[in-house]
Amino acid sequence: ANSSASSNTTPAMFFLTGIPGLEAMHRWISIPFSTAFAIALVGNSTLLYVIRTEPSLHKPMFYFLSMLAFTDLALSLTTLPKMLGIFWFEARAIPFTACLVQMFFLHTFSIVESAVLLAMAFDRYVAVCHPLRYGSILSNSLVLRIGLLALLRAAGLMLPLPLLLRRLPYCGSHVVAHCYCEHMAVVKLACADTTVNNIYGILVTFLIGGFDILFIGHSYLRILRTVFSLATREEKLKALGTCLDHICAILVFYTPAILSSIIHRFGHRIAPHVHILMANLYLLLPPVMNPIVYGMKTKQIRERV
């Protein structure tokens, strides 16, 4: 009897709705989504290939850029194939375990991306504020350690999520009102007290987001102070130019993330499809924009492509 009781509360399958309220439009919506997926795959793979094969790009800044490209590829591959399956073939079912695995990777790579953007801000700070010590500060071993730390931090923080969700009963609806298994969307389906999940989710979002954004902001304040103390206008523009593409990447990543988070918690009057399209922007924009921004801005990459 015990096993049947537990099987009632842990569903074998969840069902993803896609974009609630816009189901009739799924075929049309799939066009920009599949285009974005193609650009993300080609763009980030090209970046990784060029950085790997071009010796002049074997520098800390480009190592961080390849981490960003790898993370963007992972984010796209975690979510988009299933989303396109929903849009094209109405393939809404997802096994409960697969749902938790997707959630783990999705949130893990989002946190890795945040850490890589922080590392890139640190790289720009050293390049602009301590140019003579750049080589000695940002050694290859430090870059590698930063990459490993970013991955460990993200995976360590996200591991409790699927474990916390596994122990909850799901006796009501098994329909996830989303295109992918996002943490809060799954938490809403549990028919038990989810305070722990909610608090943990909010804590991680604000701690990681807040910590990373604060340090990125701090790096840029230091950079700006240094830039404005430079003698000539040319030097100022050159220093700012090296930071511009990185600032674009930061805005592209954090703006939809923060808006999506605010809408999720406080925007009860906002139509569900608006919220879910926002959440998708947060997944789609960085993988599409980063290769374009960095590819266009970096002379060596432009020439190789």
Side-chain angles (χ1 to χ4, degrees):
N2 192 13
S3 69
S4 72
S6 72
S7 66
N8 286 346
T9 57
T10 304
M13 286 283 177
F14 271 157
F15 297 91
L16 294 160
T17 56
I19 299 175
L22 299 180
E23 286 87 352
M25 305 272 295
H26 273 171
R27 284 282 163 86
W28 290 107
I29 292 168
S30 76
I31 298 169
F33 276 71
S34 45
T35 310
F37 187 39
I39 295 171
L41 288 182
V42 173
N44 289 294
S45 305
T46 307
L47 264 188
L48 283 169
Y49 175 75
V50 171
I51 291 169
R52 200 178 152 221
T53 54
E54 174 55 65
S56 70
L57 298 179
H58 293 179
K59 296 181 189 138
M61 182 188 162
F62 295 105
Y63 292 143
F64 289 134
L65 183 51
S66 21
M67 288 177 202
L68 194 67
F70 177 79
T71 308
D72 283 338
L73 272 178
L75 267 177
S76 306
L77 289 166
T78 303
T79 47
L80 273 154
K82 181 65 191 168
M83 272 156 70
L84 293 174
I86 297 169
F87 295 158
W88 289 338
F89 312 113
E90 309 241 332
R92 296 166 194 276
I94 184 168
F96 180 63
T97 310
C99 185
L100 295 185
V101 169
Q102 185 189 46
M103 177 199 307
F104 172 75
F105 281 117
L106 160 75
H107 292 303
T108 295
F109 285 116
S110 291
I111 294 179
V112 170
E113 176 132 1
S114 185
V116 173
L117 290 172
L118 173 57
M120 292 170 95
F122 174 66
D123 168 82
R124 294 297 81 206
Y125 160 70
V126 179
V128 174
C129 302
H130 304 283
L132 301 177
R133 292 169 54 210
Y134 182 79
S136 59
I137 295 174
L138 274 159
S139 60
N140 284 351
S141 68
L142 180 66
V143 171
L144 190 66
R145 284 208 299 274
I146 290 173
L148 279 173
L149 196 66
L151 202 56
L152 286 172
R153 173 184 85 152
L157 281 169
M158 283 304 110
L159 204 55
L161 284 190
L163 301 176
L164 284 169
L165 284 171
R166 255 221 119 85
R167 62 179 187 86
L168 290 172
Y170 300 88
C171 43
S173 164
H174 293 163
V175 177
V176 181
H178 216 307
C179 307
Y180 48 84
C181 289
E182 195 260 344
H183 176 238
M184 291 306 293
V186 177
V187 168
K188 283 178 182 167
L189 300 183
C191 48
D193 181 26
T194 57
T195 313
V196 176
N197 296 68
N198 288 328
I199 290 173
Y200 190 73
I202 290 170
L203 266 179
V204 170
T205 307
F206 283 99
L207 272 177
I208 292 297
F211 175 87
D212 291 358
I213 291 172
L214 259 178
F215 276 89
I216 289 171
H218 180 67
S219 300
Y220 272 97
L221 280 175
R222 304 278 295 265
I223 288 170
L224 284 174
R225 271 173 51 192
T226 305
V227 165
F228 288 118
S229 70
L230 290 172
T232 66
R233 189 163 169 267
E234 277 69 42
E235 284 177 320
K236 285 178 183 163
L237 288 175
K238 184 169 184 276
L240 281 176
T242 62
C243 300
L244 200 62
D245 39 5
H246 183 235
I247 292 169
C248 285
I250 292 166
L251 292 175
V252 159
F253 179 73
Y254 285 112
T255 312
I258 292 166
L259 286 176
S260 174
S261 186
I262 291 169
I263 289 173
H264 214 106
R265 300 215 156 60
F266 309 108
H268 301 301
R269 300 234 176 103
I270 293 173
H273 63 264
V274 174
H275 167 224
I276 289 186
L277 286 169
M278 270 305 305
N280 287 332
L281 265 188
Y282 154 64
L283 275 186
L284 283 176
L285 265 184
V288 170
M289 292 305 296
N290 289 341
I292 295 173
V293 169
Y294 282 100
M296 297 315 285
K297 279 278 296 178
T298 311
K299 190 161 150 270
Q300 298 99 310
I301 296 175
R302 241 191 358 252
E303 284 169 0
R304 280 299 303 272
V305 173

